[in-house]
Amino acid sequence: MTKAGTSTVDRGSSRNAATLITGAGGEVGHGLISSLHVAGRTNLVGIDIREIDKKLREFCRETFVADICDSTLVERLQSMFEITEVYHLAALLSTRAEFTPEAAHDVNVGGTINLLRLAADQARSHGQRVKFLMPSSIAAHGLSDLASKTAANAVKEDEHTRPITMYGCNKLYCENLGRYYARHYRQLAKDRMENTLDFRCLRYPGLISTETVPSGGTSDYAPEMIHAAAEGKPYACFVRPDTRIPFMTMPEAVDAILKLAAADESSLSRCVYNISSFSASAEEIADLVREYFPGAEITFEPDKLRQVIVDSWPADVDDSAARKDWGWEPKHDLRSAFEEYVVPGIKKRYA
Ligand code: SER
């Protein structure tokens, strides 16, 4: 583990209060750290396997280039910080995970259990509950074929939970691990401390960011199409035009996790929530890209194997529990996402 971008830190007998963010340099990490900084949070500690951008490093009290599977990282964090909140974003996404499933399991499950244990140990050591936020994914769902996907409509959290990807299996299991740590951890141990973790999880749909280009996901065709058009590059979409899954913009994804984090616990009826802003087909997205970037060259060259993965994900999710319990409300439909976020943001990025 190496430490990067250190700002002033007291090294006395007491540990520094911290909000820990794993996967800090990733797509969601970018937006989340910027939002927490704007909200005046000065206690952010970021971890990523790669060096975190300079701008983000400046928003953090400390950052570490480290592997969440490394147990010495956990020990070091334990000794340095008093962690009261964790945003555990680090994961290997669905496409990348299919090339190295066991490595994905190590990171997605092994890394998560390290963080859950760290959070539970922290609560025992400083005596306060630790709030643990983790994004899960539509990939936790699995529909057996296109006919079931079409018949399923908007899928509820507990429906169709037989994922066909390693990433989806990992996320579904980690949802359960989080619930276990929050409610039943060491349930037979005499020295058990109850209620150490407040675990909250939301299942993101495909995410669209104008600031970062995704890598390793299977919903990446939508953002890739948009970024390619803005850069004036041709794009061959790897799924069929009629492929439909739910999506949201990155600012909505960041707002959602912050809103879930801030929700009054008594209003939460579950640990894991579906959320979505709009359900769109690849063709509908391509049509809007062509409308706003008239020179866009988009073709469809479906990759049979990646198609099977997207065909196993729901066309839409039922997010009524999130709406009811913590006031989740999407900001955009597909067109307003383009008009108000995608087009202005991406033009600025590639100007
Ligand atoms: N965006 C994720 C992926 O494509 C799914 O949530 O792997």
Side-chain angles (χ1 to χ4, degrees):
M1 174 175 78
T2 55
K3 193 151 68 70
T6 310
S7 53
T8 28
V9 176
D10 301 328
R11 294 254 183 271
S13 53
S14 64
R15 299 178 298 180
N16 290 294
T19 289
L20 188 67
I21 302 165
T22 71
E27 284 213 285
V28 179
H30 265 85
L32 179 67
I33 290 177
S34 304
S35 286
L36 289 170
H37 170 73
V38 169
R41 297 282 283 272
T42 55
N43 64 345
L44 309 179
V45 174
I47 299 173
D48 203 284
I49 193 80
R50 283 178 292 273
E51 176 102 35
I52 299 168
D53 288 355
K54 187 164 181 292
K55 185 183 131 201
L56 288 182
R57 292 207 308 263
E58 283 166 4
F59 295 163
C60 294
R61 172 188 276 262
E62 283 205 55
T63 57
F64 296 91
V65 179
D67 183 346
I68 54 167
C69 300
D70 176 3
S71 56
T72 58
L73 165 73
V74 175
E75 281 159 28
R76 184 130 181 243
L77 294 170
Q78 190 72 268
S79 69
M80 290 173 73
F81 300 107
E82 230 175 67
I83 298 164
T84 50
E85 198 173 24
V86 178
Y87 290 86
H88 174 39
L89 312 176
L92 245 72
L93 294 182
S94 58
T95 288
R96 185 156 303 153
E98 289 311 307
F99 292 99
T100 54
E102 293 79 12
H105 188 278
D106 287 348
V107 173
N108 295 346
V109 176
T112 299
I113 213 162
N114 273 348
L115 268 300
L116 286 166
R117 203 183 70 195
L118 169 68
D121 287 350
Q122 280 276 324
R124 287 165 76 91
S125 99
H126 58 55
Q128 278 181 66
R129 278 175 98 200
V130 175
K131 204 177 262 187
F132 196 104
L133 276 295
M134 187 188 83
S136 181
S137 160
I138 41 165
H141 293 287
L143 293 121
S144 48
D145 51 30
L146 206 50
S148 348
K149 171 166 171 154
T150 312
N153 274 321
V155 167
K156 286 191 196 307
E157 284 85 353
D158 298 325
E159 292 174 346
H160 301 287
T161 46
R162 288 169 77 87
I164 69 157
T165 61
M166 179 53 106
Y167 172 69
C169 292
N170 295 163
K171 282 294 183 187
L172 188 61
Y173 176 54
C174 287
E175 293 174 0
N176 279 305
L177 273 181
R179 189 176 44 78
Y180 166 75
Y181 269 78
R183 298 186 184 166
H184 311 288
Y185 183 49
R186 302 177 75 242
Q187 57 193 297
L188 300 182
K190 290 235 160 45
D191 63 346
R192 175 180 189 228
M193 182 178 155
E194 278 185 49
N195 238 353
T196 50
L197 280 202
D198 176 358
F199 176 78
R200 305 178 182 197
C201 177
L202 38 71
R203 288 194 190 139
Y204 280 143
L207 299 180
I208 300 175
S209 171
T210 57
E211 285 187 30
T212 50
V213 188
S215 74
T218 322
S219 61
D220 293 1
Y221 57 90
E224 282 174 0
M225 202 183 274
I226 294 165
H227 282 263
E231 288 181 281
K233 293 182 182 162
Y235 184 70
C237 179
F238 60 79
V239 295
R240 289 186 319 269
D242 67 307
T243 306
R244 182 178 289 278
I245 58 168
F247 283 99
M248 72 174 45
T249 65
M250 190 56 77
E252 291 174 288
V254 170
D255 287 351
I257 201 165
L258 291 173
K259 193 157 196 188
L260 177 58
D264 185 342
E265 195 181 2
S266 63
S267 65
L268 302 180
S269 61
R270 45 188 309 128
C271 289
V272 179
Y273 289 91
N274 279 346
I275 51 164
S276 162
S277 292
F278 49 85
S279 161
S281 72
E283 175 96 277
E284 287 163 358
I285 297 170
D287 285 346
L288 272 181
V289 174
R290 292 188 189 105
E291 187 180 322
Y292 286 102
F293 300 90
E297 284 177 61
I298 302 167
T299 51
F300 286 87
E301 293 174 25
D303 172 323
K304 264 194 193 152
L305 303 174
R306 289 179 97 185
Q307 182 72 58
V308 172
I309 292 178
V310 190
D311 285 346
S312 78
W313 292 348
D316 200 359
V317 292
D318 181 332
D319 58 10
S320 53
R323 289 173 189 255
K324 180 168 171 284
D325 289 2
W326 49 275
W328 157 246
E329 208 179 340
K331 188 165 174 215
H332 295 299
D333 58 22
L334 175 61
R335 181 165 288 278
S336 86
F338 266 73
E339 276 174 9
E340 293 165 25
Y341 170 69
V342 171
V343 177
I346 207 111
K347 288 197 166 154
K348 192 167 148 211
R349 184 187 198 275
Y350 292 104

